[in-house]
């Protein structure tokens, strides 16, 4: 969501990142080929898997779903596991690009948050995909600039004139329109014209007048410098720019109780995988609570996917996982996405 270069932007916890995320180990036994987001699997996890299963894990990375999908459609071969976001999982299932998981090997499915199957309507039984990480954009307020009791914790905070000239929202139509839709009580995946029109008008008349700009990349730095007091965005971008010793005094990050758009990155086995059994073992291994905790600690991520992992984490998460309970996945809208594109052009470039 995807994330982005969500994680590329995160510059977060550099000490945990150094030396990570490259091909693992010397040749031994079988080799598993993992195609994953940049900076998304701790090296320690890969090394430990290699040792336990007497194998080698080799990784290649991508910065967007589009990059990953285009490479595979262009004929790239040899990968076993890929980690797309929910909309691309849906597309890849429909196009026959994925192999069903061996459910007899997925013994840790019982440890998954039961809310996930309700969210993942495209694959509710996780036949083709297995959750890796659920995340969501939220709201960051600079507590050194405004009193903590002076603003409402809803998406309508962007209508608050005390933030005028010091606020920004993401340059992302599904995120911004999704926030407006859920604030109005509508489905963030709606294709209803009147609901979308109401959301557009809310953004144009109430929110946009207070914004400096729509910004998907530099808001973290501007927040850290004190130029932006209110930002919509991913927590890892904000926290990655603010010195850790100033997190508590500076950042109030929250996801409104209204919910909002979320993304679910999932592990999938490609149709032409040559290491099917080992790929299934890897997916199940990631869901061991003590293993999943290492992933969470590497980024100070909240523990949503495998709740039991919280007992093994050693670092405080940037926000509590429960804040995502009301979030909704952004679905693949197919041709309906054109409606969002047209509305977004009006919002971005209209008066």
């Amino acid at each position: 969501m995807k994330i982005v270069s969500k994680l590329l932007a995160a510059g977060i916890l550099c000490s945990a990142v150094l030396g990570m995320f490259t091909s693992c180990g010397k040749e031994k036994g079988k080799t598993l080929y993992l195609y994953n987001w940049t900076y998304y699997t701790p090296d320690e996890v890969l090394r430990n898997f290699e040792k336990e299963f007497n194998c080698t894990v080799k990784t290649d990375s991508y910065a967007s779903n589009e990059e990953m999908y285009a490479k595979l459609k262009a004929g790239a071969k040899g990968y076993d596991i890929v980690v797309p976001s929910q909309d691309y999982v849906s597309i890849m299932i429909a196009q026959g690009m994925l192999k069903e998981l061996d459910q007899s090997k997925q013994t840790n499915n019982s440890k998954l948050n039961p809310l996930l199957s309700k969210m993942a309507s495209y694959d509710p039984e996780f036949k083709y995909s297995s959750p890796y990480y659920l995340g969501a954009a939220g709201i960051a307020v600079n507590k050194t600039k405004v009193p903590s009791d002076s603003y409402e914790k809803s998406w309508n905070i962007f209508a608050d004139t005390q933030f005028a000239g010091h606020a920004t929202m993401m340059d992302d139509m599904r995120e911004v329109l999704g926030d407006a839709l859920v604030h109005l009580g509508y489905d963030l995946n709606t294709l209803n014209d009147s609901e979308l029109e109401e959301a557009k008008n809310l953004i144009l008349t109430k929110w946009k007048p207070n914004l400096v700009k729509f910004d998907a990349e530099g808001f973290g730095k501007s927040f850290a410098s004190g130029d932006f007091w209110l930002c919509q965005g991913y927590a890892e971008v904000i926290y990655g720019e603010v010195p850790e010793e100033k997190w508590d005094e500076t950042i109030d990050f929250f996801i409104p109780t209204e919910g909002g758009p979320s993304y679910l990155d999932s592990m999938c086995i490609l149709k032409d995988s040559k290491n099917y059994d080992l790929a299934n073992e890897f997916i199940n291994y990631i869901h061991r609570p003590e293993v999943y905790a290492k992933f969470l600690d590497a980024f100070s991520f909240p523990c949503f996917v495998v709740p039991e992992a919280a007992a093994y984490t050693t670092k405080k998460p940037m926000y509590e996982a429960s804040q995502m309970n009301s979030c909704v996945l952004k679905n693949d809208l197919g041709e309906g996405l054109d409606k969002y594109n047209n509305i977004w052009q009006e919002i971005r470039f209209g008066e």
Side-chain angles (χ1 to χ4, degrees):
M1 324 151 70
K2 197 9 311 54
I3 165 174
V4 79
S5 297
K6 301 188 273 260
L7 294 165
L8 280 175
I12 184 173
L13 299 176
C14 293
S15 61
V17 173
L18 292 176
M20 287 184 177
F21 324 116
T22 58
S23 295
C24 296
K26 58 185 179 181
E27 292 297 330
K28 55 181 179 180
K30 293 183 177 180
T31 300
L32 182 72
Y33 294 89
L34 174 65
Y35 193 27
N36 199 356
W37 295 88
T38 306
Y39 303 148
Y40 213 24
T41 311
D43 188 63
E44 180 183 6
V45 170
L46 299 179
R47 301 286 184 181
N48 289 345
F49 178 81
E50 287 180 322
K51 183 177 180 180
E52 180 172 339
F53 290 88
N54 188 33
C55 68
T56 297
V57 180
K58 290 191 174 181
T59 66
D60 197 2
S61 62
Y62 51 88
S64 70
N65 282 298
E66 292 76 13
E67 177 188 340
M68 171 273 298
Y69 178 76
K71 185 173 180 178
L72 294 177
K73 293 298 283 186
K77 302 290 185 182
Y79 298 121
D80 296 301
I81 295 175
V82 68
V83 191
S85 304
Q86 69 283 342
D87 47 350
Y88 275 80
V89 172
S90 178
I91 292 169
M92 294 170 78
I93 290 174
Q95 295 184 352
M97 297 173 68
L98 306 178
K99 186 177 292 188
E100 284 196 32
L101 304 180
D102 183 347
Q103 297 300 322
S104 70
K105 294 278 183 67
Q106 303 308 317
T107 59
N108 288 322
N109 274 1
S110 61
K111 301 185 185 300
L112 297 176
N113 190 326
L115 289 175
L116 290 167
S117 63
K118 297 178 182 179
M119 299 174 75
S121 58
Y122 53 88
D123 189 21
E125 297 179 358
F126 300 127
K127 290 183 178 180
Y128 294 92
S129 61
S130 189
Y132 186 66
Y133 180 68
L134 180 88
I139 295 169
V141 176
N142 190 322
K143 295 190 294 185
T144 69
K145 300 297 183 180
V146 294
S148 59
D149 60 353
S150 68
Y151 50 87
E152 62 176 310
K153 291 194 172 185
S154 83
W155 290 113
N156 204 43
I157 190 174
F158 290 96
D160 190 337
T161 57
Q162 73 173 316
F163 295 105
H166 297 283
T168 182
M169 297 189 78
M170 297 174 69
D171 191 2
D172 185 314
M173 65 183 181
R174 294 299 305 278
E175 290 289 340
V176 177
L177 277 166
D179 296 340
L181 287 165
V182 298
H183 177 69
L184 293 168
Y186 302 135
D187 179 1
L188 63 83
N189 292 301
T190 186
L191 292 176
N192 181 287
D193 290 331
S194 63
E195 293 174 354
L196 288 168
E197 182 71 12
E198 191 176 345
K200 180 191 76 174
N201 290 335
L202 172 63
I203 296 165
L204 279 173
T205 63
K206 300 295 185 181
W207 295 2
K208 187 178 177 181
N210 291 326
L211 303 181
V212 177
K213 59 180 176 178
F214 292 100
D215 180 8
E217 297 179 355
F219 64 88
K221 292 184 183 297
S222 295
F223 183 94
S225 70
D227 290 336
F228 292 166
W229 305 350
L230 171 65
C231 295
Q232 174 214 23
Y234 295 107
E236 54 265 35
V237 178
I238 296 290
Y239 282 83
E241 295 294 344
V242 177
E244 188 169 356
E245 64 273 13
K246 294 185 177 181
W247 285 0
D248 289 341
E249 68 182 70
T250 304
I251 306 171
D252 180 14
F253 184 90
F254 58 92
I255 297 172
T257 55
E258 303 149 292
S262 60
Y263 62 88
L264 178 61
D265 297 328
S266 294
M267 298 173 284
C268 303
I269 300 178
L270 290 166
K271 194 74 172 180
D272 59 357
S273 166
K274 299 187 184 308
N275 297 284
Y276 178 70
D277 290 340
L278 190 59
N280 275 284
E281 294 286 7
F282 181 85
I283 291 170
N284 194 53
Y285 177 82
I286 292 297
H287 289 151
R288 291 183 191 174
E290 66 275 17
V291 172
Y292 197 74
K294 295 182 185 299
F295 163 66
L296 298 174
D297 277 346
F299 304 101
S300 293
F301 278 159
C303 182
F304 190 95
V305 170
V306 182
E308 288 182 34
Y312 297 90
T313 56
T314 61
K315 294 184 178 178
K316 180 182 177 182
M318 293 176 286
Y319 57 97
E320 293 302 320
S322 59
Q323 293 190 34
M324 292 187 286
N325 286 351
S326 298
C327 289
V328 176
L329 294 179
K330 293 173 286 186
N331 292 337
D332 172 29
L333 299 177
E335 294 181 359
L337 193 63
D338 288 341
K339 288 187 178 183
Y340 282 74
N341 279 317
N342 293 335
I343 291 171
W344 188 240
Q345 294 305 308
E346 293 183 59
I347 291 171
R348 289 289 278 108
F349 304 109
E351 293 298 329

